[in-house]
Amino acid sequence: MSAATPPITRLFNFVGSNAGPWLIDHMRSVVGEPIVTASRLSVVSGPVAQLPLETSWLLRGIASNERYVTREEKVALVSRQEGLGRKASTRAALIPIRKNSSWWALTQDERREVFEAQSRHIAIGLKYLPAIARRLHHCRDLSPNEPFDFLTWFEYALSDSVAFEELVEALWASPEWKYVDREVDIRRTHAEV
Amino acid sequence: MSAATPPITRLFNFVGSNAGPWLIDHMRSVVGEPIVTASRLSVVSGPVAQLPLETSWLLRGIASNERYVTREEKVALVSRQEGLGRKASTRAALIPIRKNSSWWALTQDERREVFEAQSRHIAIGLKYLPAIARRLHHCRDLSPNEPFDFLTWFEYALSDSVAFEELVEALWASPEWKYVDREVDIRRTHAEV
């Protein structure tokens, strides 16, 4: 591997501070304890060497194997999805969530039942592909004391802002969300002035 | 919470050194890169404040939600299993394994198919309950660079040594084990002299 090719890592850091490429123009605590406000966001892969001086928070997550998707669903998702970093994707959201102990006490078949049979989580995401690109990061097994279980990062174009709102509202209304006991909604919804 | 009650943690460290309560009398690389030898093993929960001077290795894992077990299987397991730390359990094994990229590219339904329909992993474990007590620790999502994906810790009585060998050999012979690309078998099989 050449020095110019950094190793691919599954670990991503979301740094909220007063510096970074992503403007934060909207932060809202949906349920549970809020996090402090920040005006800019950086997404950093791998270990973080140095934090901006005025860092408000650093949320870490790891891209991992999917826990519920079947092969048939995976084929449908892959055939429609597009990557992060599209030029037109000037809007973004970071939505950290934590699920309660009742969720984690469910068995695999019970969690799948709530996740898809009851909540259509995969079907809802599929409906908004390729418009809403996303990457899911797992936090729960990074350490025993992570503030959230999952971080989802979304990127989309201004013209898909309404679609994104529909997606989020569909998930909020789902039976799966009854298990969410902490959630923060961090957005870049407007253009830079 | 009183000072005498330490917080329950899901993080466990297995420290191989020349000190610690568990004698290691057998270490074998089953497949892939070996780890250096050690004569004693400690199981430490939570963050490790200080390592023994001559530490050979520290393997970390986190007890997490089960990924394949259904409610019916869980009920059967819970009704038969006993905890770690039984007085008669003077024998133990630590078996770290890593699975290859083909495994992690499988979808949930495909992994469950290999794990239980083909390999009877849960049924095999159930057959040896309550004799063989175990705790599974996940490592893969602790960081992007963990040496193993899972650490399983087993405790059993001398009189169940043959049963333990049968259990391990049944798993080694299973289709699931074709995906294992690194495995070390660390045992305390004999009494202290």
Side-chain angles (χ1 to χ4, degrees), chain B residues 23 25-26 90-92 156 158 161 165 187-191:
Chain B
L23 171 72
D25 56 28
H26 178 94
T90 57
R91 269 58 181 177
Y156 52 95
L158 171 61
S161 299
E165 218 59 47
R187 306 271 190 104
R188 187 261 172 93
T189 56
H190 294 97

Side-chain angles (χ1 to χ4, degrees), chain A:
Chain A
M1 192 177 288
S2 80
T5 312
I8 293 166
T9 178
R10 299 187 293 123
L11 183 69
F12 293 88
N13 307 272
F14 295 87
V15 184
S17 70
N18 58 0
W22 290 97
L23 171 72
I24 297 174
D25 56 28
H26 178 95
M27 271 186 73
R28 183 169 79 92
S29 171
V30 181
V31 61
E33 199 188 338
I35 62 175
V36 294
T37 55
S39 59
R40 311 287 304 191
L41 186 149
S42 305
V43 186
V44 184
S45 65
V48 174
Q50 194 167 6
L51 288 174
L53 268 179
E54 298 187 39
T55 294
S56 299
W57 35 262
L58 186 152
L59 299 172
R60 304 179 310 145
I62 195 158
S64 187
N65 58 298
E66 288 140 351
R67 308 290 158 87
Y68 303 108
V69 172
T70 65
R71 177 57 60 189
E72 194 180 357
E73 291 160 348
K74 177 83 175 176
V75 167
L77 291 166
V78 168
S79 74
R80 297 196 56 178
Q81 74 196 8
E82 292 177 3
L84 299 177
R86 293 171 299 183
K87 202 168 174 190
S89 293
T90 57
R91 270 57 183 177
L94 174 65
I95 305 191
I97 68 167
R98 188 178 65 195
K99 285 177 170 170
N100 65 19
S101 57
S102 301
W103 174 262
W104 295 111
L106 297 178
T107 53
Q108 179 68 29
D109 54 328
E110 291 168 338
R111 280 183 276 109
R112 164 78 198 188
E113 168 74 18
V114 176
F115 186 87
E116 191 58 23
Q118 296 179 18
S119 303
R120 313 295 295 155
H121 192 134
I122 297 162
I124 290 168
L126 186 62
K127 184 177 165 189
Y128 294 99
L129 289 180
I132 315 294
R134 65 189 275 289
R135 188 171 58 216
L136 173 67
H137 311 78
H138 295 251
C139 324
R140 181 172 156 82
D141 290 345
L142 279 176
S143 84
N145 304 308
E146 294 297 315
F148 295 97
D149 290 334
F150 304 99
L151 313 175
T152 312
W153 173 250
F154 301 91
E155 292 179 7
Y156 52 96
L158 172 61
S159 55
D160 293 313
S161 299
V162 172
F164 182 69
E165 219 58 47
E166 287 175 3
L167 182 159
V168 171
E169 290 181 13
L171 290 174
W172 280 340
S174 71
E176 185 190 348
W177 247 252
K178 295 193 173 67
Y179 295 92
V180 172
D181 70 2
R182 189 176 185 196
E183 177 171 7
V184 181
D185 185 355
I186 302 163
R187 304 273 190 105
R188 186 259 173 91
T189 57
H190 294 98
E192 305 257 354
V193 180

Side-chain angles (χ1 to χ4, degrees), chain B residues 9 39 46 54 75 78 85 97 104-105 147 191-192:
Chain B
T9 178
S39 59
E54 297 186 39
V75 167
V78 167
I97 68 165
W104 296 111
E192 305 257 353

Side-chain angles (χ1 to χ4, degrees), chain A residues 139-143, chain B residues 10 62-65 67 138 141-142:
Chain A
C139 324
R140 181 172 156 82
D141 290 345
L142 279 176
S143 84
Chain B
R10 300 187 293 124
I62 195 158
S64 188
N65 59 299
R67 307 291 158 88
H138 295 251
D141 291 344
L142 279 177

Side-chain angles (χ1 to χ4, degrees), chain B residues 59-74:
Chain B
L59 300 172
R60 303 179 310 145
I62 195 158
S64 188
N65 59 299
E66 287 141 352
R67 307 291 158 88
Y68 303 108
V69 172
T70 65
R71 177 57 60 190
E72 192 180 358
E73 291 160 349
K74 178 83 176 176

